[in-house]
């Protein structure tokens, strides 16, 4: 998928994550802010990379602000932000159904 415009999914509420996606500069640039970065930073990064890989996103700037979200929530937020940025507004292929 090609990121067409900036998009955001999620909130800054407790147990949620806010994910911002925008067109990249030729590579994946992922930044993560989290109060539990030392404990779960590698897992959060792995989850974000896995979702982007499943959606075949190779060029994007992704920012994650984690407020203690579960893995499934982070996955859903990344997918939603990518779908919004690609202007997919119906028939969402949730869960990597594109492959």
């Amino acid at each position: 998928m090609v990121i067409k415009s900036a998009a955001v999914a999620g909130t800054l509420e407790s147990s949620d994550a806010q994910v911002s996606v925008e067109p990249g500069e030729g590579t994946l640039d992922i930044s993560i802010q989290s109060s539990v970065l030392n404990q779960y930073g590698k897992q959060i990064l792995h989850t974000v990379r896995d979702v982007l890989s499943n959606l075949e996103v190779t060029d994007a700037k992704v920012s994650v602000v984690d407020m203690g979200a579960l893995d499934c929530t982070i996955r859903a937020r990344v997918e939603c932000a990518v779908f919004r940025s690609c202007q997919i507004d119906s028939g969402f292929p949730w869960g990597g159904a594109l492959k």
Side-chain angles (χ1 to χ4, degrees):
M1 298 183 106
V2 176
I3 305 299
K4 297 178 182 177
S5 62
V8 177
T11 68
L12 296 175
E13 298 291 324
S14 180
S15 301
D16 201 355
Q18 186 175 65
V19 176
S20 304
V21 177
E22 59 186 72
E25 298 174 356
T27 62
L28 278 177
D29 179 19
I30 302 170
S31 67
I32 300 171
Q33 289 180 302
S34 176
S35 59
V36 293
L37 192 62
N38 290 334
Q39 295 92 341
Y40 300 107
K42 288 181 184 178
Q43 179 60 38
I44 295 168
L45 180 60
H46 174 73
T47 299
V48 172
R49 286 190 182 278
D50 186 49
V51 173
L52 294 173
S53 175
N54 287 341
L55 296 175
E56 298 178 355
V57 175
T58 57
D59 182 16
K61 186 181 286 188
V62 181
S63 174
V64 178
V65 180
D66 172 54
M67 301 302 287
L70 295 174
D71 186 71
C72 57
T73 302
I74 294 170
R75 286 182 180 278
R77 298 306 188 206
V78 173
E79 282 187 352
C80 185
V82 169
F83 293 155
R84 286 178 177 172
S85 73
C86 294
Q87 300 166 351
I88 298 174
D89 57 4
S90 63
F92 291 105
W94 294 114
L98 294 176
K99 284 192 168 189

